[in-house]
Amino acid sequence: MFGYLVRRVLSALLVIVCVVFVVSAISKLVPGDIVDMMEAGNPGMTEQDKAILREQLGVNKPVFETFTSYLGGIFRGDLGNSTRLRSSAAVLIAERVPATLELALTALFLALIVALPLGILCALKQGTAIDYFGTIVSTFGVAVPNFLIGIILILVFSVELQWLPSTGYKGSVVVAAWEALKAWDGSVLWDRMRYILMPAVSLAFFAIALNTRLIRSTMLEVIRQDYLQFARAKGVPERTVYLKHALRNALIPTVTIVGLQLGTLLGGTFIIENVFAWPGIGRLAVQSIFWRDYPLIQASILVAACVFVLINLAVDLIYRLIDPRIRYVRH
Amino acid sequence: MSATSPASVESLDPPVAAGRRFVSELVRNPKGLTGFVLIFGVVFIAIFAPMLAGHDPTRQVLEARFLPPVFAEDGTWGHILGGDNLGRDILARVLYGSRTSILVALLVVFNAMVVGSILGAIAGYFGGLLDAVIMRIADFQLSFPFILVAILMLAIVGPGFWTMVFALSVALWVRFARLVRGETLKIRELEYIQAAKSIGVGHVAIIFSHVIPNVLPTIIVIATFDVAEVVIAEAAISFLGLGTQPPTPSWGMMISEGRNYLFENYWMALGPGIAIMTTSIAINLFGDFLRDTYDPRQERL
């Protein structure tokens, strides 16, 4: 276990170093003069500003030196300054990470809580109307892009029914949940939840569809196993057979997939945040591309990639802990 | 092709036999057939868009600004899906938008397939340092979601149609490379390959006549799903404003324009939305059929 842990952490570190290298080399990879490009998105730049930027981005330095100075900056907590917003990129991003994580985690939660009963129900009622409904939902969910789901939700719940706000963010739901618990007042929580519901559902839709398919097919497979017949034969009630014996084994592949999905969901936030004006890293990254604000682009991509690598690492290690049968083979 | 030949199916030309099998499998599979017919429809629309549209998709007509579609109050048959915020005909833009989607999808999947397969074959066939370098880059890229890789590439080269094609191609080559590499490794040591080598068949010839035919079914299945993925990704990137630039019609961009007017003029997003949904579902249905028929080992995750 320990050897595996060390290897896994080292390989994650290596990936992060590669990310830092690629990100620091952006100033070299951009076709043309990067600072002239930035002037187009940031009017009113003086020659002096340009000189400072050239120095900061390491335009005139060799690639390796750019890399080491960028890496040095990271250790000092300095990711450069946003040219557009004129403040520290690290601070700008730190403010936005929680919103992105909260959105992705809520979507992950939804992906499980909806897909689990739907998948089980479809498997148990195979061939009935419920099963067809589940199949249609999963076919649509896999095929329809998340931003389109978002637009449809806005049309239904904001434009037609006027139940939910179409964009915006009023602060963390988790914090609100704590406050609501303390004050014993649900309205505080609902006021925040209204904003996260549609972004989270549109982000989760794809995962819900995939998980429903997966849970349905693994359940169907497990149900046919001999040991379930045996359990029935010795008089275990149907309910227990399904919920205890079958479900438990059907859950293993699901849990594996769900962990991997967190990454896909984080990728999806890059689009969904822009649909719902959700103030996370994804929105910041896309805005900074428009502004040609390269220090901010570098920083947001770096942070997004690192969050990603760390989450994958955590998921891997957690699996290893909860299911010792999963053995990792060295390549 | 004499009917008296005992093994008449086997004696057919391979492409003809494969074609017959394809048709007979397709007509027995309602989902696959639906997908195929819809894809055919989209391609047909893309080819004949100028004849079907009836309007110039970029022409701005003041009176057509926010014109409702024919099924709403005050709609006219002149502009079936209504007009957008600049008074352009939405139906014409939806029809022309299919060209953008199909063009990007074909270009990207072709690039990714060719480059990925070549790199995979090189890595598997020659091994050593070359293999290590190519596959480490592949692993590195695979540890991030596809859309993040594409956005990183767009951040470097800047927004635009061709940079989007480039970014998506770079983001997608990995799956093909891994597949072809795996197959090459498996086949490299087989006796008949050794025999072929000993009689002087070149590396390239071996790869093309022995490796590629073996992986072709899987490549086609992956490519089909990738087409769906690229159609969605093109729409998503253009929705963000980083891909196709105005005035070229793109479904994603149209939805993003409609996004600003959802409360008053919902129909601006309606046409392109239905178009993306139909295309993507069609390719997915057809892809499922291809996978079940030709490559049942593949699981889709």
Side-chain angles (χ1 to χ4, degrees):
Chain A
M1 177 68 197
F2 186 71
Y4 172 74
L5 189 96
V6 172
R7 262 204 318 278
R8 190 65 189 74
V9 170
L10 280 181
S11 82
L13 268 178
L14 187 69
V15 172
I16 289 181
V17 171
C18 292
V19 170
V20 174
F21 182 77
V22 172
V23 162
S24 71
I26 283 183
S27 60
K28 301 278 189 252
L29 294 168
V30 172
D33 184 313
I34 186 171
V35 176
D36 287 344
M37 302 271 281
M38 288 168 72
E39 196 182 8
N42 302 276
M45 226 183 244
T46 62
E47 279 303 316
Q48 199 190 353
D49 290 341
K50 283 187 175 183
I52 294 171
L53 262 177
R54 287 209 168 84
E55 177 59 29
Q56 192 188 327
L57 290 166
V59 175
N60 300 319
K61 281 185 275 184
V63 178
F64 192 71
E65 218 172 289
T66 319
F67 168 64
T68 49
S69 71
Y70 198 80
L71 195 64
I74 293 174
F75 283 115
R76 292 192 307 272
D78 174 17
L79 296 178
N81 286 317
S82 158
T83 47
R84 172 77 173 221
L85 301 171
R86 300 195 179 273
S87 56
S88 155
V91 172
L92 284 170
I93 286 166
E95 287 168 0
R96 283 166 173 79
V97 169
T100 296
L101 282 181
E102 191 162 351
L103 182 58
L105 289 172
T106 311
L108 190 73
F109 175 72
L110 281 176
L112 257 187
I113 211 80
V114 178
L116 209 54
L118 195 58
I120 294 171
L121 214 59
C122 286
L124 296 187
K125 309 267 175 200
Q126 194 192 2
T128 64
I130 299 173
D131 189 21
Y132 287 124
F133 173 74
T135 312
I136 290 173
V137 168
S138 51
T139 310
F140 268 81
V142 170
V144 181
N146 50 17
F147 68 93
L148 191 53
I149 306 264
I151 298 283
I152 295 170
L153 289 179
I154 293 178
L155 275 176
V156 174
F157 292 102
S158 303
V159 179
E160 271 308 306
L161 300 171
Q162 306 195 340
W163 287 354
L164 298 168
S166 67
T167 51
Y169 176 74
K170 280 274 176 71
S172 165
V173 173
V174 181
V175 174
W178 173 242
E179 281 167 8
L181 207 62
K182 269 198 307 194
W184 206 247
D185 178 13
S187 65
V188 192
L189 181 63
W190 173 241
D191 201 40
R192 299 258 175 101
M193 258 174 55
R194 295 171 64 215
Y195 289 90
I196 204 173
L197 275 177
M198 289 200 297
V201 169
S202 28
L203 189 57
F205 214 82
F206 176 83
I208 291 175
L210 217 55
N211 292 348
T212 306
R213 263 190 194 184
L214 183 80
I215 292 167
R216 176 181 179 273
S217 66
T218 41
M219 253 328 243
L220 282 177
E221 226 166 77
V222 172
I223 287 172
R224 293 196 199 99
Q225 302 278 324
D226 285 342
Y227 75 93
L228 284 196
Q229 286 300 338
F230 184 79
R232 284 198 193 94
K234 72 176 184 184
V236 177
E238 263 325 80
R239 232 183 119 88
T240 322
V241 169
Y242 285 129
L243 292 183
K244 199 169 159 207
H245 296 263
L247 185 59
R248 200 178 270 186
N249 284 295
L251 270 182
I252 295 171
T254 314
V255 170
T256 316
I257 292 298
V258 166
L260 297 173
Q261 268 169 359
L262 187 54
T264 318
L265 291 174
L266 273 175
T269 58
F270 271 72
I271 292 159
I272 288 300
E273 286 181 0
N274 286 287
V275 178
F276 292 97
W278 188 262
I281 324 179
R283 185 165 164 78
L284 190 69
V286 171
Q287 283 176 327
S288 59
I289 293 178
F290 278 119
W291 298 334
R292 301 228 173 238
D293 186 343
Y294 281 99
L296 197 54
I297 294 175
Q298 286 177 312
S300 45
I301 290 197
L302 176 75
V303 171
C306 287
V307 167
F308 198 74
V309 171
L310 292 179
I311 282 175
N312 273 348
L313 176 69
V315 169
D316 260 17
L317 295 180
I318 290 170
Y319 284 150
R320 178 75 182 212
L321 281 179
I322 58 175
D323 190 353
R325 280 177 305 175
I326 300 172
R327 287 271 172 264
Y328 292 90
V329 185
R330 202 194 309 211
H331 294 295
Chain B
M1 297 313 122
S2 69
T4 51
S5 155
S8 61
V9 180
E10 267 73 20
S11 66
L12 284 171
D13 284 338
V16 177
R20 284 201 184 166
R21 179 176 170 220
F22 174 77
V23 173
S24 76
E25 293 277 0
L26 189 63
V27 292
R28 272 188 284 148
N29 186 320
K31 279 192 198 165
L33 193 61
T34 314
F36 184 77
V37 169
L38 286 175
I39 293 171
F40 184 81
V42 175
V43 173
F44 180 85
I45 287 171
I47 294 172
F48 296 105
M51 279 164 235
L52 297 167
H55 292 274
D56 179 345
T58 57
R59 188 157 166 263
Q60 304 178 5
V61 181
L62 200 57
E63 299 85 68
R65 268 193 87 208
F66 297 125
L67 191 76
V70 67
F71 45 81
E73 240 177 281
D74 301 329
T76 66
W77 279 100
H79 300 276
I80 296 174
L81 290 180
D84 70 3
N85 54 327
L86 297 176
R88 298 171 297 194
D89 183 61
I90 294 177
L91 179 66
R93 290 181 68 72
V94 169
L95 297 183
Y96 272 89
S98 64
R99 293 186 154 189
T100 311
S101 277
I102 289 178
L103 183 66
V104 173
L106 291 183
L107 283 172
V108 167
V109 174
F110 181 79
N111 289 345
M113 191 165 73
V114 171
V115 173
S117 303
I118 290 176
L119 287 177
I122 291 175
Y125 196 81
F126 297 107
L129 184 66
L130 216 51
D131 181 29
V133 171
I134 293 174
M135 294 330 283
R136 282 303 83 75
I137 296 176
D139 287 347
F140 175 66
Q141 223 181 290
L142 267 189
S143 49
F144 299 100
F146 156 74
I147 200 81
L148 194 66
V149 177
I151 287 180
L152 171 72
M153 298 307 296
L154 281 168
I156 294 174
V157 285
F161 180 84
W162 291 106
T163 52
M164 169 177 66
V165 169
F166 171 73
L168 288 174
S169 309
V170 171
L172 275 180
W173 67 278
V174 176
R175 243 179 292 178
F176 294 103
R178 284 167 70 101
L179 172 72
V180 173
R181 174 180 176 269
E183 193 63 29
T184 315
L185 280 179
K186 227 188 300 172
I187 223 167
R188 193 173 61 172
E189 305 303 330
L190 294 181
E191 263 171 39
Y192 75 96
I193 300 292
Q194 298 299 332
K197 272 188 193 163
S198 70
I199 58 168
V201 180
H203 297 316
V204 176
I206 288 179
I207 288 173
F208 272 93
S209 55
H210 297 298
V211 175
I212 299 291
N214 268 308
V215 278
L216 205 57
T218 316
I219 287 188
I220 290 173
V221 170
I222 294 185
T224 308
F225 284 117
D226 275 358
V227 167
E229 202 164 346
V230 174
V231 166
I232 289 180
E234 186 275 329
I237 289 171
S238 300
F239 175 85
L240 296 179
L242 300 174
T244 313
Q245 300 296 318
T248 312
S250 148
W251 294 336
M253 202 173 56
M254 291 175 71
I255 291 180
S256 138
E257 288 160 357
R259 165 80 187 79
N260 303 323
Y261 303 98
L262 278 182
F263 281 85
E264 308 85 23
N265 315 94
Y266 68 91
W267 59 85
M268 273 180 66
L270 193 70
I274 292 173
I276 295 177
M277 217 147 56
T278 314
T279 311
S280 167
I281 289 175
I283 304 171
N284 272 291
L285 287 175
F286 185 63
D288 282 341
F289 155 75
L290 281 185
R291 186 195 52 216
D292 296 344
T293 313
Y294 292 99
D295 195 26
R297 285 171 304 166
Q298 282 275 321
E299 272 287 328
R300 183 168 177 223
L301 292 176

